[in-house]
Amino acid sequence: MEWSYCGKISNRENGKNVVIRGWVKKNRKLGSLLFLDVADRYGLVQIVVDEHNKYFNEVFSTTKESVVEISGVVSVRKSINKNIPNGDIEIKLNDFKLLSKSAQTPLIVENETDALEEVRLKYRYLDLRRPINRNKIIFRSKLNNAIRNYLLSREFIEIETPILSKATPEGARDYLVPTRVKMNNFYALPQSPQIYKQLLMLSGMNRYFQIARCFRDEDLRADRQPEFTQLDLEMSFPTEQTIMDIIEKMFVKVFTETLNVQLTVPFPIMKYSIAMNEYGSDKPDLRYDLKLHDASSYFQNTEFTVIKDALKNNKSIKYIIVPNIVLDKKQIESLRKYAKDNKAYDLMYLTVDNGVITGSVKKIEPTIINHIFKDNNLSKGTLLMVIDSLEVVNQSLGAVRNELGNLLKLKKQNEYKFVWITDWPLFEYDEKEKKYQAAHHPFTSPTIETINNFDTNMANAKARAYDIVLNGYEIGGGSIRITDSDIQNRMFKAIGLKENEIQNKFGFLLKAFTYGVPPHGGIALGLDRLAMILTNSESIRDVIAFPKNSHGVDLMMETPSAVDEKDLQDLYLSINKLSKN
């Protein structure tokens, strides 16, 4: 007899004999009856066993998470379980097979579990049996397929590019792979397929995409993994708007198919400078307001020495005003910590309620505070202010704004606010290295306005780059690429590469550019991060089948791990056991 899925049995099979296979979730005895909940990927069904059934004792002794095969007759339940789709039926057991007995599990394999993340990652195969996690992985499959189907319908070609590649500077450290083929030489795992997709445009492929695996040896956080998946896309002869249109229409289709959510296009476009000055972030969350406001004009005639001296020294003064809410001391202290952790000396705060002003800066003239509140049409609220360099003010107040979104529960789930960030700096200054580096990557084209002097006036050079942001997360970034070998060579030199380094690392690319290269551009979208947002997950680890922990360790496979000395010798390697002192 053919077998059926647990979650797909319905009252249409009433009176029929069926066979199901799955995992035992509950096993309970009520009087002369046993009730067994058996589940698979599609859901759960209740099994009933009468005490006269020859399998009664065997079923009763079956442990949770054991795999069983059951045949029986579907019947309508007297008491309906409204928590599951087929809660109106049950199966009266005729035959029973224990296919695999389970030991006591180290975690509760239910949506609600008491296991710490360390335990869940160590036993990830059990963690994935929990419906909440299983459904996230299934959602991700639907997400990938919706993206793939849309792009194929727009004449994109899906092409795989190599995993064993060449070490190139793209913003993070490379993972290196030794080889027996060539002594003392290494492959590198790709940080992205960036150069390959540019070469595909030179090859005449015109429209390329792949769902690509990428690898970056960098510090980890909740929305970052050492290996990740991105939608990689490139087009010949595009403008920035061409690529934006393709991505926006793709998201309209994807959101409709996976979430049944209707998006409005086009998405808003915001200049990088506006994002930083008004939101303190290059990835602003537009689900709530709380913008940063310049306060300098209010304090031109202040007698408060701290602010008076700051203005004389060209410092910036900005504030966020929380309307109609007087934050308590615990909330204020939490926000002060976020400001200080983001380089601010401190976070000044003042509250106004029924004409009474209180706060940390009592020497500020009340007329100034009242003026600020009046200009914001408020008679009650909390003023949060930072004085420092413009960069520190924006960064620290941006962090405060982000945390306010959490504290005040302003970040609504199932609300989706996209924004394009444009007019990016071409370079960013590395304080540690004391030099400029590419803000995105060294293949990004300068703007037409700055292309003649981008390498001599690096502080003001602009990029033909665009990021797409969703709910405060950067989910993708792209650019129009450099296609002129002379400009590309200037870019490499601008970020400090010597001539021999350029030839060793990129000589093949510069050579390729001499054979006719079309103007091209593209974008890469982080699918792990996108899936995290769309499933309301707290970490991208929740939407990856077998993730690493926050230290880059796979607790289940216990990797990274040591290898045999002989294997190292085959690769012409030896371990240098450095002292911990």
Side-chain angles (χ1 to χ4, degrees):
M1 179 185 291
E2 293 186 2
W3 55 282
S4 304
Y5 294 113
C6 300
K8 291 190 175 183
I9 302 290
S10 72
N11 55 25
R12 291 191 299 272
E13 283 80 38
N14 185 30
K16 294 181 181 178
N17 196 72
V18 295
V19 178
I20 59 105
R21 295 165 181 163
W23 286 267
V24 174
K25 294 299 177 181
K26 287 184 180 177
N27 187 345
R28 57 205 184 278
K29 182 180 179 183
L30 294 175
S32 61
L33 297 176
L34 281 180
F35 294 93
L36 209 65
D37 288 349
V38 180
D40 58 15
R41 164 186 155 186
Y42 298 96
L44 178 146
V45 67
Q46 179 173 280
I47 314 299
V48 182
V49 189
D50 186 89
E51 65 178 345
H52 301 297
N53 191 297
K54 64 179 179 179
Y55 297 107
F56 186 89
N57 291 329
E58 185 178 358
V59 172
F60 183 59
S61 63
T62 301
T63 55
K64 286 184 180 180
E65 298 306 318
S66 293
V67 181
V68 298
E69 177 181 288
I70 288 170
S71 67
V73 177
V74 178
S75 63
V76 176
R77 290 178 59 168
K78 293 180 180 179
S79 57
I80 297 175
N81 181 355
K82 295 182 180 180
N83 295 321
I84 58 176
N86 58 0
D88 59 339
I89 59 101
E90 59 192 11
I91 299 173
K92 294 184 177 180
L93 184 142
N94 289 330
D95 291 300
F96 175 82
K97 289 181 183 177
L98 177 61
L99 301 180
S100 177
K101 183 178 180 180
S102 174
Q104 177 71 41
T105 57
L107 69 153
I108 298 171
V109 188
E110 301 288 347
N111 278 344
E112 297 295 328
T113 184
D114 58 354
L116 299 175
E117 185 183 54
E118 181 177 350
V119 175
R120 294 194 293 107
L121 291 182
K122 184 174 179 62
Y123 299 95
R124 182 60 170 168
Y125 44 88
L126 295 178
D127 196 38
L128 286 175
R129 285 188 203 170
R130 297 167 58 216
I132 191 172
N133 286 335
R134 178 186 65 227
N135 290 338
K136 289 178 180 180
I137 302 302
I138 293 171
F139 175 87
R140 183 162 178 168
S141 174
K142 293 177 181 177
L143 175 67
N144 287 357
N145 282 325
I147 289 170
R148 178 178 281 111
N149 292 337
Y150 169 79
L151 292 174
L152 290 172
S153 75
R154 298 300 297 266
E155 299 188 20
F156 281 83
I157 306 168
E158 185 171 11
I159 305 173
E160 294 179 353
T161 55
I163 293 296
L164 294 176
S165 186
K166 185 180 182 71
T168 56
E170 290 190 37
R173 289 181 295 272
D174 290 302
Y175 282 104
L176 301 178
V177 182
T179 174
R180 295 181 298 107
V181 175
K182 198 173 182 182
M183 183 186 298
N184 299 331
N185 283 259
F186 297 82
Y187 295 109
L189 302 182
Q191 295 185 34
S192 77
Q194 180 62 44
I195 295 178
Y196 288 114
K197 66 181 179 181
Q198 291 191 244
L199 292 173
L200 285 170
M201 296 303 99
L202 190 143
S203 303
M205 294 301 170
N206 186 252
R207 288 189 168 198
Y208 139 92
F209 86 96
Q210 72 171 312
I211 294 176
R213 298 292 287 169
C214 304
F215 307 84
R216 295 185 183 180
D217 185 6
E218 58 188 352
D219 295 335
L220 304 182
R221 59 192 186 201
D223 62 345
R224 183 182 285 171
Q225 283 272 288
E227 55 179 316
F228 58 96
T229 305
Q230 70 181 34
L231 169 65
D232 204 52
L233 178 150
E234 198 80 5
M235 301 172 64
S236 293
F237 309 107
T239 63
E240 290 90 332
Q241 193 60 52
T242 307
I243 295 167
M244 289 180 183
D245 288 345
I246 287 283
I247 296 302
E248 288 179 359
K249 290 172 183 174
M250 182 192 77
F251 274 124
V252 168
K253 178 179 175 63
V254 166
F255 272 60
T256 300
E257 289 190 6
T258 61
L259 296 175
N260 196 27
V261 169
Q262 304 300 314
L263 297 179
T264 301
V265 293
F267 299 156
I269 297 173
M270 183 183 296
K271 291 184 178 182
Y272 170 83
S273 58
I274 298 296
M276 294 304 299
N277 282 312
E278 294 190 1
Y279 296 92
S281 172
D282 57 17
K283 43 185 181 295
D285 191 335
L286 301 188
R287 287 175 293 178
Y288 57 100
D289 195 6
L290 298 182
K291 290 182 181 179
L292 281 58
H293 299 276
D294 188 90
S296 302
S297 61
Y298 292 103
F299 292 98
Q300 295 302 314
N301 298 313
T302 185
E303 294 301 321
F304 181 34
T305 305
V306 172
I307 294 180
K308 194 174 184 178
D309 291 346
L311 288 174
K312 285 181 181 179
N313 290 304
N314 296 315
K315 296 292 185 180
S316 291
I317 307 174
K318 285 190 175 184
Y319 70 88
I320 294 173
I321 195 162
V322 184
N324 305 314
I325 295 175
V326 175
L327 298 176
D328 61 36
K329 289 185 178 180
K330 184 178 179 181
Q331 291 171 320
I332 293 288
E333 287 307 310
S334 171
L335 295 171
R336 289 181 71 188
K337 182 179 186 305
Y338 275 89
K340 291 179 179 181
D341 287 348
N342 283 274
K343 301 181 180 180
Y345 176 75
D346 203 353
L347 177 69
M348 298 179 179
Y349 66 93
L350 291 159
T351 64
V352 175
D353 191 10
N354 292 324
V356 178
I357 300 173
T358 59
S360 62
V361 195
K362 295 183 173 60
K363 293 184 179 180
I364 294 180
E365 295 87 342
T367 54
I368 294 177
I369 304 304
N370 289 328
H371 192 181
I372 293 174
F373 271 74
K374 182 179 179 182
D375 284 352
N376 285 275
N377 297 314
L378 293 172
S379 58
K380 178 180 178 181
T382 304
L383 184 75
L384 305 165
M385 192 161 60
V386 172
I387 305 174
D388 214 305
S389 67
L390 179 60
E391 180 182 353
V392 169
V393 167
N394 285 342
Q395 179 180 332
S396 57
L397 276 181
V400 168
R401 178 183 183 274
N402 184 58
E403 180 56 19
L404 276 170
N406 296 324
L407 279 177
L408 304 179
K409 296 181 171 34
L410 302 175
K411 299 180 179 182
K412 297 177 182 177
Q413 291 186 352
N414 305 319
E415 181 181 4
Y416 304 102
K417 294 291 186 180
F418 285 89
V419 60
W420 290 101
I421 306 298
T422 62
D423 288 353
W424 284 81
L426 186 62
F427 301 102
E428 57 188 15
Y429 191 73
D430 188 325
E431 290 288 349
K432 186 177 180 181
E433 298 292 332
K434 302 299 180 186
K435 67 176 185 178
Y436 283 99
Q437 60 186 14
H440 281 75
H441 54 59
F443 313 105
T444 298
S445 176
T447 59
I448 295 172
E449 294 78 12
T450 63
I451 200 164
N452 291 328
N453 66 349
F454 72 88
D455 47 350
T456 57
N457 187 11
M458 298 172 74
N460 295 312
K462 298 292 184 181
R464 294 185 67 182
Y466 35 85
D467 278 9
I468 186 166
V469 173
L470 172 59
N471 291 0
Y473 289 95
E474 175 212 330
I475 59 169
S479 66
I480 302 299
R481 320 303 186 186
I482 296 172
T483 52
D484 182 289
S485 58
D486 290 336
I487 294 174
Q488 186 66 76
N489 203 46
R490 285 169 57 194
M491 172 62 80
F492 289 146
K493 290 179 178 178
I495 60 174
L497 296 181
K498 306 298 183 185
E499 188 62 42
N500 64 322
E501 290 181 289
I502 295 172
Q503 289 304 315
N504 287 338
K505 294 183 177 185
F506 301 107
F508 68 94
L509 179 65
L510 297 176
K511 183 70 173 176
F513 280 1
T514 67
Y515 294 112
V517 53
H520 58 269
I523 194 168
L525 301 175
L527 294 184
D528 309 288
R529 196 172 293 175
L530 179 61
M532 177 189 76
I533 297 168
L534 301 191
T535 57
N536 297 315
S537 300
E538 295 183 359
S539 164
I540 62 171
R541 293 188 289 274
D542 294 340
V543 296
I544 297 172
F546 298 103
K548 310 292 188 292
N549 69 5
S550 59
H551 301 290
V553 175
D554 183 335
L555 297 173
M556 182 184 69
M557 299 288 284
E558 298 183 344
T559 58
S561 56
V563 298
D564 293 338
E565 185 69 28
K566 183 180 182 304
D567 293 331
L568 292 174
Q569 291 173 359
D570 288 343
L571 295 166
Y572 316 108
L573 296 175
S574 62
I575 298 295
N576 182 11
K577 296 181 180 179
L578 298 174
S579 171
K580 292 183 180 180
N581 296 329

